[in-house]
Amino acid sequence: MKKIQLMRSGVAVSLVASVLLSACGAKEAEKPKASEGTKANASASPSAAAKKEKIELNWFINAPANTNLPDASKDFVLQAIQQKFNVDLKVSYMAEGVDYNTKLNALLASTPPDMWADKNADGGNKYAVDGLLADMTKFISPATMPNYFKYWTTEDEVKRYQIQGGFYRTPIPYVKQTYRTYYIRKDWLDKLNLKMPTTYDEYVNVLKAFTFNDPDGNGKADTYGFTTAGSGANLGWEWPELPKNGLKFPSYIENEKFVDGTMTPNMQAVLDDVTKLIDMKVVDPDWYLNKAPQHVEKAIQGKAGVVMGATKDFAFDNVSTSIQFRTKQINPKADWEPFTMVGSTPLINKAGPSNPFLFPKTVAEKNPAKISRTIEILDWLASEEGYLLTHFGQAGKHYTLEGKTIKPNGEAYANDIVKQGDFLKVWSFFTQAVLQPEVYGLTVVDQKETDRDREIVKFLAAQPTNKYIGTSLVPPQGFDLAGFRKRQNELFSKAIFEDKSGKNWPAYREELLTKYKGSELLDKYTADLKAAGVVK
């Protein structure tokens, strides 16, 4: 985890417990144009920020791997926030995953952050059940967050997102377009005189060739077909064997009922197919222990030829964090291209609210000003001004805005932002790193975008999607969702590594439905859908 703190004086960097990076910077941002020529402490004409009491805020947020916040003196976003809102902001950030949730739970048990971006599978429901979450009723509204409600959501959407009969969470703005698909080393296909696979059987044949036919030509048996990350705990949803057997990610409605694909009888065939591939030795042998993004790193290193991507720029040519850019630094001939081996079967639902931002009950009760100030900052991040600063940089330096057209300055952006940890991807945690300027009626003329990138975008836009589930779903009161999923994953692991097939899935499924009350969970989710008017 990295942490950066703005203070009034001094710049210091220290490493704590091997994973905590703290920095202090004194350089204050320049005044907005409306305040130019006026000192911040001028009593005759104080700034809006100066009228507010200065307070300290602590946030815990997610950030992409391989990104870092720079020294405070180079972080113009932090400087802008300090000046506009008169705060000392401490931002702790980590890549989302198991470790992120573990760290969050440790913080909540000791020193809760004033705001956090929740990445738990239940969207913070357990925290609501445990009484840890603030009631947002008096904090969140179109009046307090006008930009958020104007550009990113609606009151109805926020209402349908609630849990446990109260206003405990608000959705983080989400990516409207979906980009989840598989990517393959096209240069390996060409080397082996293979065509792009379009069916599952063709895909399996490619995996065999990538594993046994030396696609990189180095004379070593050091490549595999497919890789993913099981985090030492689960099967995961990246295996093509799931959609191949009709399971839609992550859940769906069928015959007016909620369906969790991983709890259907079809999982028997999925487990059979997965274990067959493992037995063929065409899958990265470390897949189960990989923690994201370790599997992507292996693909970059040329150890595997098929991996799943979920972002628009996952394989763009000139995005420094993309799999294409980084692989080409190792092998200039590398060519990652999107494809699917499951035909018209959707790989994801239409976009809808997923993860929320949350506030702790203790902070709301003891120091509500911290919540109110945080909401002001979040709403600014959701504004056009905040969006442009956190995604394109400083106007006139990193981009120009001509009417509604954004023209980036690639060189300045690379030097000041990408080479400084690509830090805007950290600050875009609230409105997403994926560019969506169309939300504000803006378009981008990006000189870095290649014809190949545009072809990828066309492919992604043409992919089918499932219907959005329509509302928030919460487990029955007292239901141990974490325990249920843990046992489910244990049984998947047992089927794969001990049974080496799906033959015992019917018995495992029955155990989950009865002993672990899975039937009650699925019935409750269907009831939630009925209550929201999604199903009859």
Side-chain angles (χ1 to χ4, degrees), residues 1 60-63 92-113 116-127 132 172 231 233-234 291-292 354-356 358 481-482 485 489:
M1 179 181 68
F60 184 68
I61 64 174
N62 59 291
S92 303
Y93 59 101
M94 297 174 63
E96 61 181 274
V98 175
D99 292 341
Y100 181 93
N101 293 331
T102 299
K103 180 61 182 179
L104 173 59
N105 289 332
L107 289 173
L108 293 177
S110 56
T111 309
W116 71 93
D118 196 79
K119 295 297 175 179
N120 285 286
D122 69 350
N125 183 66
K126 186 176 187 304
Y127 299 144
L132 298 178
I172 291 174
S231 299
N234 58 64
K291 290 184 178 181
S354 54
N355 299 107
L358 304 174
L481 183 61
R485 294 303 185 192
N489 287 327

Side-chain angles (χ1 to χ4, degrees), residues 241-255:
E241 289 64 34
L242 289 144
K244 181 248 183 182
N245 286 288
L247 306 189
K248 302 173 184 178
F249 172 81
S251 56
Y252 50 99
I253 298 170
E254 190 172 82
N255 298 324

Side-chain angles (χ1 to χ4, degrees), residues 37 74 84 93 96 122 130 172 223 230 245-246 250 278 312 353 362 375 427 439 448 467 517:
K74 298 179 180 179
K84 287 176 178 293
Y93 59 101
E96 61 181 274
D122 69 350
D130 292 342
I172 291 174
T223 58
N245 286 288
I278 294 173
K312 178 181 179 181
T362 53
I375 287 170
W427 282 114
V439 169
K448 295 189 305 178
K467 182 180 178 181
K517 302 180 180 180

